[in-house]
Amino acid sequence: MNLPSFDPVTAVLLTPIGSAALLAILPGYRLTARLNVIASLATFLSALSLFVINRPQPGPYVLIDDLNIVFIVLNTFVGSTTSIFSASYIAHELETGRLTPVYLRFYHAMFQTMMFGMNLAFVSNNIGLMWVAVEIATLTTVLMVGIYRTHAALEAAWKYFILGSVGIAFALFGTILVYMAARPIVGEGQDGMVWTLLMQHAADFDPALLNVAFIFLFLGYGTKVGVAPLHAWLPDAHAEGPTPISAVLSGLLLNVALYALLRFKIMLAANPNAIAPGPLMVTMGLVSLVFAAFMLYRRRDIKRLFAYSSIEHMGIIVFAFGMGGPLANFAGLLHMVMHSLTKSAIFYAVGHISQIKGTQRINRIRGLTVTHPALGWGFVVGVVAIAGLPPLGIFMSEFLVVSSTFARQPLLAIVLVFGLLLAFGALTLRLTSVAFGAPRGSTASAEASYLPMFAHLSLVLGAGIYLPAPLVVWFQNVARLLG
Amino acid sequence: MHSLAFDISHTLAGGLVLISFMMLYQDRLYSLLNVFALHAVVLALSVAWQAFVQHAPHLYITAAIALVFKAIVIPVALHRIVKQLGIHRDIESAVGIGPTMLAGMALVALSMVLMLRVTAEADPLAREDLAFALSVVLLGLLVMVTRRNAVSQVVGFMSLENGLVLAATGAKGMPLVVEISVAFSILIAFIVIGIFLFRIRERFDSVDVSTLDDYRGERR
């Protein structure tokens, strides 16, 4: 199929930024919330059409390949379900007076700008442009984290801003170093930043310069991925911002930074004399996993709990990609997709739970399955999924990570399994107290949209039971690309 | 090798490192802002010089942005904010001046050793520039971590970005897109910061970040 007049790449970029401009000036809550949903869905459909359309030749700015299609489709899908969730979530915030209409307009415009930044980061073939796009996405989320203007929200936003800026500064320095390494071989100017050209010549680059560049890039983008010990902004930003933002932070923004890191990892792997990026990623991944698993036990705030769970899972993903090889890469990719879907579903549930109960404190929430069966059981399924129980999707990807590690590095696998079990224990402990037992707190019925949550959960369940063959083939291709 | 062009750019970049050091021991907000303005002026000179020796006219734009925004607009605006908030008293440093200076020297030594070693192949002009740029970046970071005051953290952050601009201009022929974006990021950052400062003020009657610590989510 060939649609000559329709260019999905342009649509994926222009729909969010155009609607952001529109949402910034339109008044009225219902209209703008609907428009936000429509724009997000349109972006998602454009992203889907990337599968069927003839791919454009990689230009100086745009690149579409097997790797980034996965990221773009996941990004726009979770973006559109989040916009549906946020329509029902924000309506409640407006009623309770936590947000005013002016802030709502700002919120919607920022949401679409953030989607634009993330999509731009994925499609860009230019490491400079990619950096700019990641920065756009970060700054918009900083503004949204601080939107409630409470003490805690301001502190979280400030911390996020400072740490995020230092991270992005390091990433830029790393990008400049990559350009310096490329300049003698690829030539001056634009070409020295085009990723496909850099890849062609990566084997000839000065390895020492590339090594230092990767350290800076890892520290920079790693701050945004949230690997310990660079994670300090993450729990605060997740806990204090509006819940739709927690969902996109966990489900999407961490992936954007991870994607940038993966691109540079591929480049480094193409140079035989440079350090292998694997061991660094493996170490940091394991540290994040074990650290976050311990931290899970002492959480009293439900959104903070799942923020640490995100650190844990990003640790697993970074670990899997650090191990490398077809199987571990496949597992890492699958885990990333499953984590995005599950974690955003959990945040959708948590958003409604905290609205009903009027608190985020875990010990004030009891017996959800009794008072709110749909919400409660959705939450149970989500937590069971994120804890890695069969038959849900995360079990499968974790199983693949563990088994591929056992085959190659049994000692590392022991640490990995230890971390996983530790996290599993913490999550089940919290789950039983929140979901079961005698109800506590408000029992008011929720005016919530359950569609996004159940859509995500059924996808996760479906993937755990049966992965369609074309998807497997696609992921295998990507895993090969990742080296 | 040691031509006049090299010497001048070396002097300017070294001057930036020196001014970064000056930032470390300023104990008044106004003087910190003045030193930052000086930092931006030297950066503008350095970038203009690079534009001249590299025959890259687009770098003059970067120099002009540095001069107008960072040396004039932002310091003046920050002066006014400081005045309005009435916080022109001492800066609360988290660490004393002595240890800070020692840490600064260690960071400069580290970046020299690191960058000069790995860029042995590159041309000397870019090489020295990069080493100085990393020093400025790390010293900016040090300013950020040793100050508790939000305004001085912002100044530290902006001097860090100056180091990035120095690195970007030192890399010969680097596309314009990056320089403009750096300038833009500072601008956006400034807007963000402006909003935040007023919000923090509104909520806490202070811009001392340490007062924020009492409101950590978990301690409620």
Side-chain angles (χ1 to χ4, degrees):
Chain A
M1 195 169 82
N2 196 2
L3 301 167
S5 59
F6 175 70
D7 178 10
V9 178
T10 318
V12 160
L13 295 178
L14 284 189
T15 317
I17 196 70
S19 48
L22 198 60
L23 286 165
I25 49 170
L26 280 180
Y29 164 67
R30 273 174 209 292
L31 178 71
T32 48
R34 266 184 211 148
L35 197 65
N36 193 28
V37 173
I38 291 166
S40 306
L41 282 174
T43 318
F44 173 55
L45 291 178
S46 320
L48 270 187
S49 69
L50 284 171
F51 279 116
V52 290
I53 208 149
N54 289 337
R55 283 183 202 167
Q57 282 295 310
Y61 295 110
V62 171
L63 165 75
I64 299 293
D65 63 4
D66 284 354
L67 174 62
N68 62 14
I69 287 185
V70 176
F71 279 85
I72 296 167
V73 170
L74 179 69
N75 191 50
T76 50
F77 174 71
V78 178
S80 53
T81 50
T82 303
S83 68
I84 298 172
F85 163 68
S86 100
S88 70
Y89 179 87
I90 295 291
H92 188 273
E93 300 292 279
L94 212 54
E95 278 166 24
T96 53
R98 282 185 84 188
L99 286 176
T100 59
V102 178
Y103 277 95
L104 203 71
R105 210 186 288 176
F106 175 75
Y107 167 85
H108 279 135
M110 279 298 135
F111 186 85
Q112 289 296 335
T113 314
M114 176 193 69
M115 292 305 293
F116 165 76
M118 294 201 276
N119 289 341
L120 182 65
F122 288 137
V123 299
S124 70
N125 191 18
N126 184 308
I127 55 174
L129 188 64
M130 182 160 81
W131 178 83
V132 173
V134 176
E135 174 140 26
I136 293 174
T138 309
L139 283 178
T140 48
T141 44
V142 168
L143 290 173
M144 286 196 285
V145 165
I147 204 166
Y148 286 139
R149 306 178 72 187
T150 59
H151 306 138
L154 284 178
E155 197 249 355
W158 182 257
K159 200 176 187 182
Y160 180 24
F161 172 72
I162 291 292
L163 284 173
S165 307
V166 171
I168 210 76
F170 277 171
L172 180 60
F173 198 77
T175 309
I176 293 170
L177 289 180
V178 170
Y179 172 80
M180 288 287 288
R183 196 170 62 97
I185 292 132
V186 182
E188 279 178 17
Q190 192 74 62
D191 290 352
M193 298 220 121
V194 176
W195 192 78
T196 38
L197 286 176
L198 292 177
M199 274 309 291
Q200 282 168 18
H201 304 284
D204 305 325
F205 291 170
D206 179 14
L209 207 50
L210 221 48
N211 289 348
V212 179
F214 185 74
I215 301 292
F216 276 100
L217 290 164
F218 188 83
L219 286 177
Y221 288 121
T223 309
K224 291 198 195 314
V225 177
V227 289
L230 309 167
H231 69 282
W233 62 274
L234 196 147
D236 292 319
H238 280 62
E240 309 304 343
T243 311
I245 299 312
S246 314
V248 285
L249 273 177
S250 261
L252 303 179
L253 196 68
L254 305 186
N255 290 353
V256 176
L258 183 73
Y259 169 81
L261 211 52
L262 286 179
R263 283 279 182 210
F264 285 109
K265 184 197 171 234
I266 299 173
M267 184 188 296
L268 217 67
N271 188 316
N273 298 319
I275 43 160
L280 182 64
M281 292 174 74
V282 163
T283 314
M284 296 288 266
L286 278 183
V287 168
S288 307
L289 166 64
V290 175
F291 167 79
F294 273 112
M295 294 303 274
L296 282 175
Y297 280 90
R298 293 181 53 207
R299 294 311 102 195
R300 278 169 288 179
D301 180 304
I302 192 160
K303 279 166 85 176
R304 222 167 262 267
L305 175 79
F306 290 110
Y308 275 101
S309 159
S310 286
I311 299 176
E312 179 218 335
H313 285 276
M314 290 322 274
I316 299 171
I317 297 164
V318 169
F319 171 82
F321 285 130
M323 288 293 290
L327 187 60
N329 279 338
F330 181 90
L333 205 63
L334 186 65
H335 195 78
M336 186 200 78
V337 174
M338 291 300 128
H339 170 253
S340 288
L341 292 174
T342 317
K343 190 50 66 62
S344 38
I346 289 178
F347 272 115
Y348 300 157
V350 166
H352 289 311
I353 291 169
S354 61
Q355 277 186 336
I356 295 165
K357 303 287 181 187
T359 180
Q360 290 175 204
R361 299 237 2 197
I362 291 171
N363 59 8
R364 293 205 191 129
I365 306 169
R366 286 273 185 283
L368 271 175
T369 47
V370 183
T371 50
H372 303 83
L375 191 59
W377 284 109
F379 179 70
V380 170
V381 175
V383 177
V384 164
I386 209 81
L389 281 181
L392 290 122
I394 287 194
F395 167 73
M396 201 161 87
S397 53
E398 277 181 358
F399 180 77
L400 283 173
V401 175
V402 171
S403 57
S404 68
T405 314
F406 258 120
R408 289 162 58 192
Q409 300 279 348
L411 281 177
L412 289 183
I414 293 171
V415 184
L416 182 69
V417 171
F418 170 71
L420 288 176
L421 287 177
L422 209 59
F424 174 80
L427 286 170
T428 37
L429 208 67
R430 291 283 170 260
L431 173 71
T432 45
S433 75
V434 169
F436 308 109
R440 185 187 292 181
S442 162
T443 52
S445 67
E447 287 172 39
S449 161
Y450 293 131
L451 178 75
M453 179 175 75
F454 285 115
H456 281 204
L457 290 177
S458 49
L459 279 178
V460 173
L461 181 66
I465 295 166
Y466 171 71
L467 268 186
L471 195 70
V472 174
V473 173
W474 190 284
F475 275 21
Q476 278 167 345
N477 279 339
V478 178
R480 254 196 302 279
L481 196 71
L482 285 168
Chain B
M1 188 169 91
H2 283 265
S3 61
L4 186 66
F6 176 84
D7 285 341
I8 292 181
S9 64
H10 196 117
T11 310
L12 289 171
L16 270 181
V17 177
L18 206 64
I19 299 170
S20 287
F21 262 108
M22 284 167 67
M23 273 186 210
L24 285 179
Y25 64 78
Q26 298 305 318
D27 57 357
R28 312 276 286 186
L29 263 183
Y30 281 152
S31 53
L32 182 67
L33 288 174
N34 293 341
V35 174
F36 172 73
L38 182 65
H39 201 263
V41 169
V42 176
L43 176 77
L45 282 177
S46 170
V47 173
W49 181 252
Q50 290 288 340
F52 177 70
V53 283
Q54 290 180 18
H55 307 292
H58 65 261
L59 288 183
Y60 285 118
I61 301 169
T62 314
I65 292 173
L67 194 64
V68 174
F69 277 114
K70 290 194 223 154
I72 302 169
V73 177
I74 289 182
V76 167
L78 280 176
H79 257 281
R80 293 185 61 174
I81 288 177
V82 168
K83 197 177 175 186
Q84 276 176 4
L85 298 182
I87 47 165
H88 41 271
R89 51 194 166 80
D90 291 358
I91 297 168
E92 294 98 313
S93 308
V95 187
I97 285 173
T100 312
M101 295 302 278
L102 283 176
M105 284 178 215
L107 287 177
V108 172
L110 174 79
S111 53
M112 291 295 158
V113 169
L114 183 72
M115 294 317 298
L116 293 183
R117 184 164 296 170
V118 299
T119 55
E121 312 275 301
D123 69 300
L125 196 67
R127 194 176 164 216
E128 308 265 328
D129 231 29
L130 217 52
F132 283 130
L134 183 60
S135 310
V136 173
V137 168
L138 293 180
L139 289 175
L141 197 62
L142 191 63
V143 172
M144 285 173 81
V145 297
T146 53
R147 308 286 180 173
R148 309 223 62 161
N149 183 299
V151 175
S152 38
Q153 284 186 352
V154 169
V155 172
F157 174 62
M158 289 192 300
S159 77
L160 187 156
E161 295 242 61
N162 284 354
L164 292 175
V165 173
L166 185 67
T169 50
K172 205 174 169 192
M174 184 131 162
L176 182 66
V177 58
V178 177
E179 285 113 13
I180 286 189
S181 66
V182 169
F184 256 101
S185 71
I186 292 156
L187 201 64
I188 297 168
F190 180 65
I191 296 166
V192 175
I193 290 155
I195 296 166
F196 274 119
L197 286 181
F198 279 105
R199 283 185 181 175
I200 291 171
R201 172 69 180 173
E202 188 179 297
R203 292 281 164 185
F204 303 101
D205 294 331
S206 161
V207 283
D208 185 341
V209 179
S210 66
T211 57
L212 293 175
D213 289 345
D214 302 336
Y215 300 103
R216 297 277 295 268
E218 296 261 87
R219 229 174 283 166
R220 266 175 288 180

